[in-house]
């Protein structure tokens, strides 16, 4: 167990910790990326403000919904209304590209390294940016998958075709014939998102979990950079706490955290930690531009 003494980054310039992060990226044997909602927020997937108004002003006016996230819990009177909202929500957050190239920049930084990604994000941004899907573990599900609401089976179903049809044919309600039902038992389908004990961990989920465990086991003791990006305290037991524990157990490891307003570490691993309290997009672009300058400079 760690003490409750937290170390926060200096509010001064990010240049010193950024230089340490660049050095850690160059020197490490492997990188384990832990990504939370803050990474997609940095990529422009915001759920409030202008983006919410652009896509959900009609739902805001009719139901009083004020942001995308809370709208997902709204008690719509009919499943046709529920899926009109959710299909639009899934379409813009799963099947549209992120406004900013944060994930592309991240891949450029690690593509030549031995890397693995564990993420609580469900928006598929890593695969859309061409990260190797065999080096990805989506622990909490995927907006692109349905599952039986019962569930009668440990199986998931691709939803892109029907989601696009729902978006195309809706008027704040979808046609009843588009309501998704389980092909095995006929019960209503729901999203494959971890919210209770009915979450389906299908074969793909278990294979990814096994690959992640194998990656960690076979690189035990190496110079590992645990790079945590935008992970909050909603589900810290999935990424944050394990990263701290693995860093403490491995004296060759470094824990790096980029998180605006929440970049902290336990005192016990302070010497092995790089905390950057800043926007992820800004930091990644700075590292990328400085690397490009150094590569083009005459030797």
């Amino acid at each position: 167990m760690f003490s409750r003494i937290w170390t926060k980054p200096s509010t001064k310039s990010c240049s010193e910790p950024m230089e340490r992060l660049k050095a850690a990226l160059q020197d490490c044997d492997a990188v384990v990326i832990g990504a939370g909602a803050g990474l997609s927020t940095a990529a422009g997937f915001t759920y409030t403000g202008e983006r919410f108004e652009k896509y959900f002003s009609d739902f805001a006016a009719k139901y009083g919904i004020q942001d995308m996230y809370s709208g997902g819990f709204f008690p719509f009177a009919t499943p046709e209304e529920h899926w009109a909202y959710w299909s639009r929500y899934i379409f813009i957050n799963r099947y549209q590209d992120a406004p900013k190239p944060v994930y592309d920049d991240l891949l450029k930084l690690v593509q030549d390294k031995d890397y693995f990604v564990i993420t609580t994000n469900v928006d598929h941004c890593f695969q859309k940016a061409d990260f190797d899907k065999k080096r990805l573990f989506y622990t909490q599900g995927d907006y692109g998958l349905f599952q039986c609401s019962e569930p009668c089976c440990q199986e998931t179903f691709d939803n892109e075709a029907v989601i696009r049809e729902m978006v195309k044919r809706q008027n704040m309600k979808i046609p009843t014939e588009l309501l998704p039902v389980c092909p095995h038992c006929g019960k209503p389908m729901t999203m494959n998102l971890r919210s209770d004990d009915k979450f389906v961990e299908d074969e793909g989920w278990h294979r990814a979990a096994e690959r992640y465990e194998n990656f960690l086991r076979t690189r035990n003791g190496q110079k590992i950079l645990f790079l945590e990006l935008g992970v909050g305290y909603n589900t810290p037991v999935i990424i944050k706490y394990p990263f701290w524990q693995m860093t403490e157990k491995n004296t060759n490891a470094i824990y790096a955290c980029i998180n605006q307003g929440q970049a902290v570490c336990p005192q016990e691993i302070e010497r092995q930690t790089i905390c950057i309290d800043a926007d992820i997009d800004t930091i990644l672009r700075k590292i990328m531009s400085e690397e490009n300058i150094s590569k083009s400079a005459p030797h």
Side-chain angles (χ1 to χ4, degrees):
M1 294 293 290
F2 294 105
S3 66
R4 292 187 175 273
I5 302 173
W6 306 109
T7 298
K8 294 185 178 182
S10 167
T11 54
K12 297 176 184 176
S13 168
C14 291
S15 58
E16 188 270 335
M18 206 168 72
E19 288 301 317
R20 289 178 59 210
L21 178 56
K22 284 168 59 180
L25 277 164
Q26 291 171 357
D27 189 47
C28 67
D29 298 317
V31 183
V32 182
I33 297 169
L39 181 60
S40 285
T41 300
F45 272 163
T46 53
Y47 284 15
T48 58
E50 185 181 330
R51 194 164 175 264
F52 172 71
E53 287 296 321
K54 179 179 179 181
Y55 293 106
F56 290 99
S57 57
D58 52 351
F59 279 90
K62 184 173 180 178
Y63 302 103
I65 296 168
Q66 297 182 337
D67 65 86
M68 282 187 229
Y69 182 76
S70 62
F73 299 95
F74 188 86
F76 293 103
T78 66
E80 287 84 356
E81 291 167 277
H82 170 89
W83 281 110
Y85 182 86
W86 265 99
S87 60
R88 207 183 297 181
Y89 184 110
I90 295 162
F91 177 71
I92 66 169
N93 293 307
R94 171 64 169 77
Y95 295 113
Q96 287 191 352
D97 290 335
K100 299 178 184 177
V102 172
Y103 285 86
D104 304 274
D105 289 344
L106 181 59
L107 178 60
K108 288 172 187 172
L109 287 178
V110 303
Q111 62 188 356
D112 295 328
K113 305 296 293 187
D114 183 22
Y115 73 84
F116 205 99
V117 176
I118 178 170
T119 182
T120 53
N121 294 345
V122 293
D123 51 27
H124 213 63
C125 283
F126 281 102
Q127 277 182 251
K128 285 193 287 186
D130 288 331
F131 278 77
D132 182 350
K133 64 181 180 181
K134 290 186 178 178
R135 293 175 177 264
L136 298 175
F137 180 24
Y138 288 87
T139 65
Q140 306 298 81
D142 184 344
Y143 282 148
L145 298 174
F146 285 152
Q147 67 167 70
C148 176
S149 58
E150 190 66 22
C152 71
C153 58
Q154 292 298 300
E155 189 177 348
T156 56
F157 308 89
D158 184 86
N159 67 22
E160 182 172 3
V162 70
I163 289 295
R164 289 183 180 277
E165 195 67 14
M166 286 179 183
V167 171
K168 185 178 172 182
R169 295 175 60 190
Q170 70 168 260
N171 182 17
M172 297 183 73
K173 289 183 180 181
I174 65 163
T176 301
E177 66 265 23
L178 290 181
L179 290 175
V181 295
C182 176
H184 300 301
C185 71
K187 292 280 178 67
M189 294 269 236
T190 188
M191 294 303 305
N192 179 231
L193 303 176
R194 191 186 298 278
S195 58
D196 55 30
D197 59 1
K198 291 185 176 181
F199 175 69
V200 167
E201 297 175 354
D202 63 9
E203 283 185 24
W205 189 98
H206 284 285
R207 284 197 299 269
E210 187 177 345
R211 284 194 292 265
Y212 179 58
E213 289 168 9
N214 286 342
F215 186 92
L216 294 175
R217 188 184 67 251
T218 54
R219 289 148 184 83
N220 187 35
Q222 290 185 9
K223 292 180 182 177
I224 299 178
L225 172 61
F226 290 101
L227 180 57
E228 183 193 294
L229 302 169
V231 176
Y233 287 90
N234 194 18
T235 52
V237 295
I238 296 172
I239 295 171
K240 188 178 291 292
Y241 294 168
F243 274 22
W244 289 353
Q245 291 160 353
M246 289 186 286
T247 300
E248 185 184 35
K249 289 176 182 176
N250 180 359
T251 55
N252 291 319
I254 289 178
Y255 167 72
C257 174
I258 309 175
N259 198 339
Q260 202 154 28
Q262 294 190 44
V264 299
C265 73
Q267 193 177 52
E268 287 85 347
I269 61 169
E270 182 179 359
R271 291 182 181 179
Q272 295 168 260
T273 294
I274 303 164
C275 281
I276 303 176
D277 183 353
D279 173 59
I280 298 168
D281 176 42
T282 302
I283 296 300
L284 294 185
R285 280 192 288 110
K286 280 184 179 178
I287 293 174
M288 289 294 301
S289 63
E290 288 180 13
E291 280 201 349
N292 290 335
I293 290 169
S294 65
K295 284 178 183 176
S296 60
H299 293 286

